Amino acid sequence: MRNSGGLEPEPEVNLYDDTGRSLSQAWDRIRVPIIVPILRFALYVCIAMSVMRFIERVYMAIVIGCVKCLGRKRYTKYNLDAIKEDLEQNRNYPMVLVQIPMFNEKEVYKLSIGAACGLSWPSDRLIVQVLDDSTNEVLRALVELECQRWIEKGVNVKYETRNNRNGYKAGALRDGLKKPYVEDCEFVVIFDADYQPEVLFLWRTVPYLLENPELALVQARWKFVNANECLMTRLQEMPLDYHFSVEQEVGSSTCSFFGFNGTAGVWRIQAVSDAGGWKDRTTVEDMDLAVRASVKGWKFIFVGDLSVKNELPSTFKAYRFQQHRWSCGPANLFRKMFKEILLCERVGIWKKFHVIYAFSFVRKIVAHWVTFFFYCIVIPATILVPEVHLPKPIAVYLPATITLLNAASTPRSLHLLVFWILFENVMSLHRSKAAIIGLLEASRVNEWIVTEKLGNALKQKYSIPKVSKRPRSRIAERIHFLELIMGMYMLHCAFYNMIFANDHFFIYLLLQAGAFFIIGLGYIGTIVST
């Protein structure tokens, strides 16, 4: 057909088809010579890390199995009843200091102070030291008033404040030990502001230190009072139960070493001084002190049947900040102390290997990296690059075994296993980033944000009249762009797998993409109205 001018019409040009064709051609040109070698190298590295983690998990499973079957938990070797009887007969009670560091803990300060003041121990041999770094003057007055209330009941409470927050928690604990009245104290107990020890806590911990002069630390486990608050707290409970039931128990039984949890523990003050005291060079001052005391030859013991009540972070914002600190700090400490541990002459080769390889490298760095880079980046990328073969046993059986070994510590949550896997994969994004920041000492390496606690506020919300307020929109705080970007990547890989592959791997990719989107949009954890 000709137009009115007698010319044939020009063929239409589809810009979208041309752009798509150009991108496809560019991808084909770079895929084989550039992408394939890089992805194959990343795959081998991830496989190596996955095997390292698998071996470490299986080793701990074997050790904990032997410990439980043979009844060889270290703390059961001591005759506490005989030590208690000797104490009561001779009335030679050691002086004990209880430190409670806090910072704007308006929801929980009464609980922690009350629990510490209620500990069973001779009143003239116990000092409760409240280290209040709060910046809220009204709250400071309330905390001081609570301390005064217990002083009037006959408890030796010392309320200490500072004009600055230098060193954060480590600085407060360090300054607290410098007080003149601490000179007579032999042991120091540390409880964070949301921890509530049982009345007999000191009777179940201090005797271990009296029996063995080489013992520096007695660590109790945690009991989570709000584990059933929401799905996120249930998912947090699973790895923490594994940490206490397996990691701490194995470290205590094999090397007399494990990481101090920063709270619910009793230290020999002489050991703290011998290790160099509290240092604020990382965000894990507790682990720092434990490693330094260990290389000085001091031993630790974990008491697995003694629990201290505490609270899990129930908002995603609080949990994310906590995980950044817990992931960045150990990596940074590994960088700072690697050479010192390696050259230390006071500990044996096996203990050095345990501290450097198993405790620091595999658990604190490799565990995060293999979860994120392998399961969230490399494995989905092999779908887009079919030239890179993914060994199915490495991709399926190893992580399945690791997951089951982790989940065995919390049998009541086995039905949440799929949710836990998806949630841990998302959180590995933040943990991996934090570990890299710690190793490189990049920005935010010393970022310290106190984990927000809700105390019993949620339990009381139905019994206390609440003035209604119009909630303010905080969309910017709820949107997390890194999670959304990862969700788009996983979704793209899922669709590609559905169209071009003959397997069902897209099911995992769709579920994982959904997890990234849900968390990226802020629909997880307790939503606290503002």
Side-chain angles (χ1 to χ4, degrees):
M1 180 182 293
R2 296 178 179 273
N3 57 19
S4 57
L7 299 175
E8 295 186 1
E10 296 181 1
E12 295 182 3
V13 178
N14 192 325
L15 294 178
Y16 293 105
D17 287 345
D18 285 353
T19 303
R21 193 179 299 111
S22 299
L23 290 174
S24 178
Q25 291 173 353
W27 170 251
D28 290 337
R29 283 196 296 269
I30 67 171
R31 189 179 70 223
V32 174
I34 299 176
I35 302 299
V36 169
I38 293 175
L39 184 58
R40 187 171 286 131
F41 174 76
L43 178 63
Y44 292 152
V45 172
C46 288
I47 289 174
M49 291 194 296
S50 188
V51 171
M52 290 165 62
R53 194 181 182 204
F54 172 78
I55 293 173
E56 194 255 352
R57 283 292 190 267
V58 171
Y59 159 75
M60 287 198 292
I62 294 172
V63 172
I64 202 65
C66 294
V67 167
K68 289 187 175 182
C69 292
L70 300 176
R72 295 285 182 91
K73 293 183 178 180
R74 248 184 100 228
Y75 63 89
T76 60
K77 298 179 181 179
Y78 296 86
N79 190 351
L80 287 191
D81 292 333
I83 303 172
K84 292 176 187 176
E85 187 177 344
D86 181 65
L87 272 177
E88 292 173 351
Q89 287 179 353
N90 299 324
R91 304 193 66 80
N92 187 24
Y93 301 102
M95 197 74 175
V96 177
L97 172 71
V98 179
Q99 290 185 310
I100 309 175
M102 58 178 59
F103 174 74
N104 293 339
E105 308 283 2
K106 64 179 180 178
E107 304 290 354
V108 294
Y109 73 91
K110 284 188 178 182
L111 295 174
S112 57
I113 294 174
C117 292
L119 289 170
S120 174
W121 199 253
S123 59
D124 61 330
R125 309 300 293 169
L126 179 68
I127 301 175
V128 177
Q129 187 184 64
V130 178
L131 305 169
D132 189 10
D133 275 0
S134 299
T135 53
N136 186 319
E137 294 298 330
V138 175
L139 183 56
R140 274 196 177 193
L142 291 173
V143 175
E144 186 174 12
L145 187 65
E146 181 68 13
C147 293
Q148 187 61 40
R149 190 170 72 85
W150 283 100
I151 291 173
E152 293 171 358
K153 292 183 178 182
V155 182
N156 188 2
V157 181
K158 304 292 185 182
Y159 177 71
E160 304 290 353
T161 61
R162 302 190 298 169
N163 295 325
N164 55 68
R165 289 191 68 211
N166 291 343
Y168 302 109
K169 179 181 174 181
L173 295 171
R174 181 176 58 232
D175 291 350
L177 290 178
K178 293 179 181 178
K179 301 300 178 182
Y181 54 81
V182 178
E183 292 179 0
D184 296 329
C185 294
E186 191 173 347
F187 306 114
V188 56
V189 191
I190 301 167
F191 296 115
D192 281 350
D194 59 318
Y195 283 72
Q196 305 165 53
E198 63 176 59
V199 174
L200 297 177
F201 179 87
L202 296 179
W203 287 104
R204 297 184 63 184
T205 52
V206 172
Y208 290 108
L209 295 161
L210 295 174
E211 174 75 7
N212 187 355
E214 294 182 345
L215 206 60
L217 168 67
V218 178
Q219 174 72 60
R221 66 171 296 153
W222 300 350
K223 181 180 180 180
F224 312 109
V225 297
N226 65 331
N228 295 324
E229 186 171 312
C230 61
L231 178 60
M232 193 181 81
T233 52
R234 286 290 295 272
L235 299 181
Q236 290 178 63
E237 182 189 31
M238 295 175 71
L240 287 172
D241 275 349
Y242 178 83
H243 168 70
F244 287 107
S245 301
V246 179
E247 291 179 345
Q248 298 293 72
E249 194 68 69
V250 169
S252 178
S253 300
T254 56
C255 299
S256 299
F257 169 79
F258 48 83
F260 173 45
N261 294 117
T263 180
V266 186
W267 276 93
R268 189 185 301 274
I269 293 181
Q270 179 189 348
V272 175
S273 177
D274 185 41
W278 292 101
K279 294 185 178 181
D280 56 6
R281 56 182 177 174
T282 70
T283 57
V284 284
E285 73 294 323
D286 44 13
M287 188 183 298
D288 190 349
L289 176 61
V291 173
R292 284 185 283 112
S294 179
V295 298
K296 289 288 185 179
W298 290 96
K299 297 180 179 179
F300 308 158
I301 191 170
F302 173 70
V303 184
D305 63 354
L306 177 59
S307 300
V308 178
K309 295 179 181 179
N310 76 304
E311 181 180 324
L312 291 165
S314 55
T315 65
F316 183 66
K317 178 182 178 182
Y319 183 61
R320 192 159 48 91
F321 283 132
Q322 180 200 70
Q323 292 303 298
H324 174 86
R325 190 171 76 245
W326 286 5
S327 303
C328 179
N332 190 229
L333 183 64
F334 176 74
R335 169 186 170 134
K336 292 178 183 297
M337 291 208 65
F338 176 81
K339 185 177 180 180
E340 181 180 344
I341 298 170
L342 198 63
L343 299 179
C344 176
E345 298 179 354
R346 296 180 64 174
V347 295
I349 295 177
W350 169 248
K351 194 167 187 178
K352 288 181 183 180
F353 176 80
H354 174 75
V355 175
I356 292 176
Y357 175 77
F359 176 77
S360 298
F361 185 60
V362 176
R363 295 184 203 168
K364 310 301 181 184
I365 298 174
V366 167
H368 306 323
W369 286 1
V370 73
T371 304
F372 177 65
F373 291 111
F374 195 24
Y375 306 132
C376 299
I377 299 293
V378 173
I379 290 180
T382 59
I383 294 172
L384 306 177
V385 185
E387 291 85 354
V388 178
H389 173 66
L390 176 66
K392 288 298 192 297
I394 300 294
V396 177
Y397 301 128
L398 286 191
T401 304
I402 293 170
T403 300
L404 291 174
L405 291 175
N406 270 302
S409 299
T410 316
R412 78 184 192 101
S413 297
L414 284 175
H415 63 289
L416 300 175
L417 197 57
V418 173
F419 295 101
W420 178 71
I421 294 170
L422 300 175
F423 180 69
E424 284 293 293
N425 286 348
V426 175
M427 288 309 303
S428 68
L429 164 64
H430 297 286
R431 293 170 184 150
S432 298
K433 183 178 70 172
I436 293 172
I437 289 173
L439 284 174
L440 300 180
E441 291 198 328
S443 61
R444 295 184 65 196
V445 68
N446 289 318
E447 179 184 74
W448 181 281
I449 297 176
V450 175
T451 305
E452 179 186 11
K453 295 106 181 174
L454 301 181
N456 59 353
L458 290 178
K459 298 176 185 177
Q460 296 176 350
K461 68 179 180 179
Y462 297 110
S463 59
I464 298 177
K466 188 176 181 179
V467 179
S468 61
K469 294 182 180 180
R470 183 178 180 181
R472 292 174 295 178
S473 175
R474 291 189 175 182
I475 296 177
E477 288 188 6
R478 293 187 59 179
I479 299 297
H480 307 289
F481 291 102
L482 286 179
E483 282 88 341
L484 295 178
I485 293 171
M486 284 302 304
M488 293 297 297
Y489 169 69
M490 302 288 275
L491 191 63
H492 172 71
C493 294
F495 287 151
Y496 191 93
N497 182 259
M498 291 173 64
I499 297 171
F500 297 106
N502 296 321
D503 53 35
H504 297 86
F505 194 57
F506 65 87
I507 297 174
Y508 159 71
L509 294 171
L510 288 174
L511 290 173
Q512 192 62 68
F516 273 109
F517 284 130
I518 290 171
I519 296 177
L521 295 173
Y523 288 103
I524 190 169
T526 302
I527 307 299
V528 180
S529 60
T530 53

